[in-house]
mmCIF file of all heavy atoms in Angstrom:
data_model
loop_
_atom_site.group_PDB
_atom_site.id
_atom_site.type_symbol
_atom_site.label_atom_id
_atom_site.label_comp_id
_atom_site.label_asym_id
_atom_site.label_seq_id
_atom_site.Cartn_x
_atom_site.Cartn_y
_atom_site.Cartn_z
ATOM 1 N N ILE A 30 13.141 -15.743 16.389
ATOM 2 C CA ILE A 30 14.479 -15.300 15.957
ATOM 3 C C ILE A 30 15.522 -16.370 16.325
ATOM 4 O O ILE A 30 16.520 -16.541 15.628
ATOM 5 C CB ILE A 30 14.825 -13.920 16.565
ATOM 6 C CG1 ILE A 30 16.098 -13.336 15.943
ATOM 7 C CG2 ILE A 30 14.958 -13.993 18.073
ATOM 8 C CD1 ILE A 30 16.434 -11.931 16.439
ATOM 9 N N MET A 35 18.118 -17.412 12.934
ATOM 10 C CA MET A 35 19.585 -17.551 12.885
ATOM 11 C C MET A 35 19.940 -19.028 12.952
ATOM 12 O O MET A 35 19.189 -19.823 13.507
ATOM 13 C CB MET A 35 20.237 -16.874 14.106
ATOM 14 C CG MET A 35 20.197 -15.382 14.111
ATOM 15 S SD MET A 35 21.078 -14.745 15.569
ATOM 16 C CE MET A 35 20.533 -13.038 15.508
ATOM 17 N N THR A 126 13.776 -6.907 19.489
ATOM 18 C CA THR A 126 14.054 -7.980 18.536
ATOM 19 C C THR A 126 14.986 -7.469 17.452
ATOM 20 O O THR A 126 15.584 -6.404 17.602
ATOM 21 C CB THR A 126 12.736 -8.537 17.949
ATOM 22 O OG1 THR A 126 13.059 -9.686 17.175
ATOM 23 C CG2 THR A 126 12.005 -7.521 17.096
ATOM 24 N N GLY A 127 15.118 -8.250 16.360
ATOM 25 C CA GLY A 127 15.945 -7.820 15.236
ATOM 26 C C GLY A 127 15.098 -7.032 14.252
ATOM 27 O O GLY A 127 15.178 -5.806 14.181
ATOM 28 N N GLY A 128 14.266 -7.771 13.518
ATOM 29 C CA GLY A 128 13.418 -7.112 12.528
ATOM 30 C C GLY A 128 11.986 -7.594 12.651
ATOM 31 O O GLY A 128 11.743 -8.715 13.090
ATOM 32 N N ILE A 129 11.034 -6.742 12.285
ATOM 33 C CA ILE A 129 9.625 -7.154 12.315
ATOM 34 C C ILE A 129 9.220 -7.704 10.944
ATOM 35 O O ILE A 129 9.876 -7.444 9.943
ATOM 36 C CB ILE A 129 8.684 -5.979 12.682
ATOM 37 C CG1 ILE A 129 8.886 -4.793 11.738
ATOM 38 C CG2 ILE A 129 8.903 -5.569 14.127
ATOM 39 C CD1 ILE A 129 7.803 -3.736 11.831
ATOM 40 N N CYS A 158 13.245 -2.464 17.107
ATOM 41 C CA CYS A 158 13.811 -3.296 16.037
ATOM 42 C C CYS A 158 14.756 -2.440 15.214
ATOM 43 O O CYS A 158 14.871 -1.238 15.438
ATOM 44 C CB CYS A 158 12.680 -3.850 15.176
ATOM 45 S SG CYS A 158 11.738 -2.552 14.346
ATOM 46 N N ALA A 159 15.422 -3.078 14.247
ATOM 47 C CA ALA A 159 16.337 -2.335 13.374
ATOM 48 C C ALA A 159 15.646 -2.033 12.051
ATOM 49 O O ALA A 159 16.273 -2.011 10.996
ATOM 50 C CB ALA A 159 17.626 -3.119 13.169
ATOM 51 N N GLY A 160 14.327 -1.828 12.122
ATOM 52 C CA GLY A 160 13.542 -1.613 10.910
ATOM 53 C C GLY A 160 13.104 -2.961 10.377
ATOM 54 O O GLY A 160 12.842 -3.893 11.148
ATOM 55 N N ALA A 161 13.009 -3.075 9.081
ATOM 56 C CA ALA A 161 12.606 -4.342 8.473
ATOM 57 C C ALA A 161 13.556 -4.651 7.332
ATOM 58 O O ALA A 161 14.079 -3.747 6.679
ATOM 59 C CB ALA A 161 11.176 -4.252 7.971
ATOM 60 N N LYS A 162 13.793 -5.938 7.128
ATOM 61 C CA LYS A 162 14.662 -6.359 6.030
ATOM 62 C C LYS A 162 13.994 -6.043 4.699
ATOM 63 O O LYS A 162 12.769 -6.128 4.591
ATOM 64 C CB LYS A 162 14.874 -7.877 6.080
ATOM 65 C CG LYS A 162 15.851 -8.332 7.121
ATOM 66 C CD LYS A 162 16.428 -9.698 6.742
ATOM 67 C CE LYS A 162 17.459 -10.133 7.758
ATOM 68 N NZ LYS A 162 16.881 -10.813 8.913
ATOM 69 N N SER A 163 14.808 -5.763 3.698
ATOM 70 C CA SER A 163 14.204 -5.435 2.417
ATOM 71 C C SER A 163 13.803 -6.688 1.619
ATOM 72 O O SER A 163 13.581 -6.616 0.425
ATOM 73 C CB SER A 163 15.064 -4.472 1.613
ATOM 74 O OG SER A 163 16.387 -4.870 1.631
ATOM 75 N N LEU A 167 9.124 -2.115 1.902
ATOM 76 C CA LEU A 167 9.138 -1.173 3.029
ATOM 77 C C LEU A 167 8.100 -0.066 2.851
ATOM 78 O O LEU A 167 7.489 0.386 3.826
ATOM 79 C CB LEU A 167 10.538 -0.574 3.214
ATOM 80 C CG LEU A 167 11.660 -1.583 3.516
ATOM 81 C CD1 LEU A 167 12.974 -0.860 3.768
ATOM 82 C CD2 LEU A 167 11.304 -2.453 4.716
ATOM 83 N N LEU A 189 13.916 5.587 7.805
ATOM 84 C CA LEU A 189 13.578 4.239 8.253
ATOM 85 C C LEU A 189 14.786 3.337 8.030
ATOM 86 O O LEU A 189 15.251 3.189 6.898
ATOM 87 C CB LEU A 189 12.389 3.693 7.442
ATOM 88 C CG LEU A 189 11.980 2.266 7.816
ATOM 89 C CD1 LEU A 189 11.308 2.220 9.183
ATOM 90 C CD2 LEU A 189 11.064 1.674 6.756
ATOM 91 N N PRO A 190 15.319 2.735 9.101
ATOM 92 C CA PRO A 190 16.448 1.812 8.905
ATOM 93 C C PRO A 190 15.963 0.536 8.212
ATOM 94 O O PRO A 190 14.815 0.131 8.395
ATOM 95 C CB PRO A 190 16.922 1.499 10.329
ATOM 96 C CG PRO A 190 16.112 2.322 11.268
ATOM 97 C CD PRO A 190 14.938 2.851 10.536
ATOM 98 N N ALA A 191 16.845 -0.056 7.414
ATOM 99 C CA ALA A 191 16.470 -1.279 6.690
ATOM 100 C C ALA A 191 17.303 -2.462 7.187
ATOM 101 O O ALA A 191 17.951 -3.156 6.407
ATOM 102 C CB ALA A 191 16.623 -1.098 5.190
ATOM 103 N N PHE A 192 17.319 -2.639 8.493
ATOM 104 C CA PHE A 192 17.943 -3.781 9.131
ATOM 105 C C PHE A 192 19.462 -3.770 8.958
ATOM 106 O O PHE A 192 20.161 -3.305 9.850
ATOM 107 C CB PHE A 192 17.315 -5.088 8.605
ATOM 108 C CG PHE A 192 17.533 -6.275 9.515
ATOM 109 C CD1 PHE A 192 16.668 -6.538 10.565
ATOM 110 C CD2 PHE A 192 18.589 -7.142 9.311
ATOM 111 C CE1 PHE A 192 16.858 -7.646 11.400
ATOM 112 C CE2 PHE A 192 18.795 -8.243 10.131
ATOM 113 C CZ PHE A 192 17.921 -8.489 11.174
ATOM 114 N N PHE A 193 19.982 -4.270 7.865
ATOM 115 C CA PHE A 193 21.439 -4.336 7.656
ATOM 116 C C PHE A 193 22.043 -2.980 7.321
ATOM 117 O O PHE A 193 23.251 -2.801 7.388
ATOM 118 C CB PHE A 193 21.781 -5.294 6.514
ATOM 119 C CG PHE A 193 21.501 -6.734 6.823
ATOM 120 C CD1 PHE A 193 20.572 -7.452 6.081
ATOM 121 C CD2 PHE A 193 22.165 -7.388 7.852
ATOM 122 C CE1 PHE A 193 20.325 -8.787 6.352
ATOM 123 C CE2 PHE A 193 21.925 -8.718 8.134
ATOM 124 C CZ PHE A 193 21.001 -9.412 7.372
ATOM 125 N N THR A 194 21.196 -2.036 6.916
ATOM 126 C CA THR A 194 21.683 -0.700 6.590
ATOM 127 C C THR A 194 20.980 0.309 7.495
ATOM 128 O O THR A 194 19.872 0.070 7.960
ATOM 129 C CB THR A 194 21.406 -0.353 5.100
ATOM 130 O OG1 THR A 194 20.011 -0.520 4.850
ATOM 131 C CG2 THR A 194 22.204 -1.268 4.180
ATOM 132 N N ARG A 195 21.654 1.452 7.706
ATOM 133 C CA ARG A 195 21.121 2.424 8.660
ATOM 134 C C ARG A 195 19.949 3.222 8.122
ATOM 135 O O ARG A 195 19.232 3.854 8.871
ATOM 136 C CB ARG A 195 22.242 3.395 9.087
ATOM 137 C CG ARG A 195 23.267 2.729 9.997
ATOM 138 C CD ARG A 195 24.370 3.707 10.382
ATOM 139 N NE ARG A 195 23.891 4.899 11.045
ATOM 140 C CZ ARG A 195 23.604 4.960 12.347
ATOM 141 N NH1 ARG A 195 23.756 3.894 13.106
ATOM 142 N NH2 ARG A 195 23.186 6.089 12.868
ATOM 143 N N ASP A 196 19.823 3.237 6.790
ATOM 144 C CA ASP A 196 18.696 3.997 6.263
ATOM 145 C C ASP A 196 18.095 3.322 5.036
ATOM 146 O O ASP A 196 18.528 2.248 4.617
ATOM 147 C CB ASP A 196 19.083 5.453 5.990
ATOM 148 C CG ASP A 196 20.267 5.533 5.050
ATOM 149 O OD1 ASP A 196 20.553 4.538 4.357
ATOM 150 O OD2 ASP A 196 20.906 6.598 5.017
ATOM 151 N N ASN A 231 15.587 1.395 15.355
ATOM 152 C CA ASN A 231 16.908 1.750 15.885
ATOM 153 C C ASN A 231 17.953 1.308 14.867
ATOM 154 O O ASN A 231 18.138 0.104 14.663
ATOM 155 C CB ASN A 231 17.078 0.985 17.218
ATOM 156 C CG ASN A 231 18.344 1.323 17.966
ATOM 157 O OD1 ASN A 231 18.891 2.409 17.820
ATOM 158 N ND2 ASN A 231 18.793 0.378 18.790
ATOM 159 N N PRO A 232 18.628 2.240 14.226
ATOM 160 C CA PRO A 232 19.558 1.846 13.163
ATOM 161 C C PRO A 232 20.719 1.000 13.681
ATOM 162 O O PRO A 232 21.213 1.215 14.787
ATOM 163 C CB PRO A 232 20.086 3.172 12.612
ATOM 164 C CG PRO A 232 19.330 4.254 13.269
ATOM 165 C CD PRO A 232 18.575 3.692 14.430
ATOM 166 N N ILE A 233 21.153 0.054 12.876
ATOM 167 C CA ILE A 233 22.327 -0.773 13.194
ATOM 168 C C ILE A 233 23.534 0.157 13.415
ATOM 169 O O ILE A 233 23.681 1.149 12.694
ATOM 170 C CB ILE A 233 22.593 -1.782 12.044
ATOM 171 C CG1 ILE A 233 23.760 -2.706 12.379
ATOM 172 C CG2 ILE A 233 22.864 -1.071 10.705
ATOM 173 C CD1 ILE A 233 23.931 -3.854 11.372
ATOM 174 N N ALA A 238 27.159 -2.053 9.929
ATOM 175 C CA ALA A 238 26.256 -1.983 8.772
ATOM 176 C C ALA A 238 26.889 -2.701 7.578
ATOM 177 O O ALA A 238 28.114 -2.810 7.476
ATOM 178 C CB ALA A 238 25.965 -0.532 8.432
ATOM 179 N N MET A 239 26.055 -3.206 6.692
ATOM 180 C CA MET A 239 26.528 -3.966 5.522
ATOM 181 C C MET A 239 26.512 -3.074 4.281
ATOM 182 O O MET A 239 25.685 -2.172 4.177
ATOM 183 C CB MET A 239 25.596 -5.146 5.249
ATOM 184 C CG MET A 239 25.456 -6.138 6.366
ATOM 185 S SD MET A 239 26.712 -7.410 6.308
ATOM 186 C CE MET A 239 26.370 -8.222 4.764
ATOM 187 N N LEU A 270 15.010 -15.634 5.263
ATOM 188 C CA LEU A 270 16.038 -15.315 6.267
ATOM 189 C C LEU A 270 17.213 -16.278 6.161
ATOM 190 O O LEU A 270 18.376 -15.876 6.182
ATOM 191 C CB LEU A 270 15.455 -15.384 7.682
ATOM 192 C CG LEU A 270 14.360 -14.380 8.058
ATOM 193 C CD1 LEU A 270 13.851 -14.665 9.469
ATOM 194 C CD2 LEU A 270 14.868 -12.949 7.942
ATOM 195 N N SER A 281 26.698 -11.187 7.378
ATOM 196 C CA SER A 281 25.368 -10.698 7.725
ATOM 197 C C SER A 281 24.948 -11.221 9.089
ATOM 198 O O SER A 281 24.244 -10.541 9.830
ATOM 199 C CB SER A 281 24.341 -11.070 6.658
ATOM 200 O OG SER A 281 24.003 -12.434 6.756
ATOM 201 N N SER A 284 26.439 -8.984 11.677
ATOM 202 C CA SER A 284 25.681 -7.724 11.725
ATOM 203 C C SER A 284 24.358 -7.926 12.446
ATOM 204 O O SER A 284 23.943 -7.097 13.268
ATOM 205 C CB SER A 284 25.385 -7.214 10.311
ATOM 206 O OG SER A 284 26.578 -6.893 9.658
ATOM 207 N N ASN A 285 23.708 -9.036 12.103
ATOM 208 C CA ASN A 285 22.413 -9.360 12.712
ATOM 209 C C ASN A 285 22.539 -9.434 14.242
ATOM 210 O O ASN A 285 21.729 -8.856 14.980
ATOM 211 C CB ASN A 285 21.934 -10.691 12.131
ATOM 212 C CG ASN A 285 20.445 -10.921 12.303
ATOM 213 O OD1 ASN A 285 19.804 -10.281 13.121
ATOM 214 N ND2 ASN A 285 19.902 -11.835 11.549
ATOM 215 N N ILE A 286 23.566 -10.109 14.704
ATOM 216 C CA ILE A 286 23.773 -10.263 16.151
ATOM 217 C C ILE A 286 23.988 -8.891 16.793
ATOM 218 O O ILE A 286 23.391 -8.568 17.818
ATOM 219 C CB ILE A 286 24.964 -11.216 16.423
ATOM 220 C CG1 ILE A 286 24.601 -12.642 15.964
ATOM 221 C CG2 ILE A 286 25.369 -11.187 17.892
ATOM 222 C CD1 ILE A 286 25.773 -13.612 15.874
ATOM 223 N N LEU A 288 23.059 -5.925 15.794
ATOM 224 C CA LEU A 288 21.896 -5.030 15.834
ATOM 225 C C LEU A 288 20.883 -5.465 16.887
ATOM 226 O O LEU A 288 20.202 -4.630 17.496
ATOM 227 C CB LEU A 288 21.273 -4.869 14.439
ATOM 228 C CG LEU A 288 20.591 -6.044 13.742
ATOM 229 C CD1 LEU A 288 19.175 -6.219 14.212
ATOM 230 C CD2 LEU A 288 20.630 -5.846 12.247
ATOM 231 N N VAL A 289 20.806 -6.768 17.138
ATOM 232 C CA VAL A 289 19.890 -7.231 18.193
ATOM 233 C C VAL A 289 20.399 -6.759 19.560
ATOM 234 O O VAL A 289 19.623 -6.287 20.401
ATOM 235 C CB VAL A 289 19.719 -8.769 18.170
ATOM 236 C CG1 VAL A 289 18.764 -9.210 19.273
ATOM 237 C CG2 VAL A 289 19.192 -9.244 16.825
ATOM 238 N N ASN A 292 19.553 -3.218 19.976
ATOM 239 C CA ASN A 292 18.125 -3.024 20.280
ATOM 240 C C ASN A 292 17.820 -3.388 21.739
ATOM 241 O O ASN A 292 16.969 -2.763 22.376
ATOM 242 C CB ASN A 292 17.261 -3.859 19.332
ATOM 243 C CG ASN A 292 17.403 -3.384 17.898
ATOM 244 O OD1 ASN A 292 17.834 -2.265 17.652
ATOM 245 N ND2 ASN A 292 17.048 -4.244 16.950
#
Side-chain angles (χ1 to χ4, degrees):
I30 190 176
M35 289 183 193
T126 188
I129 55 167
C158 63
K162 283 203 178 86
S163 46
L167 300 184
L189 179 71
F192 200 86
F193 292 118
T194 55
R195 288 179 58 82
D196 56 18
N231 185 26
I233 183 171
M239 301 273 297
L270 295 176
S281 76
S284 296
N285 199 342
I286 293 167
L288 67 83
V289 180
N292 295 341

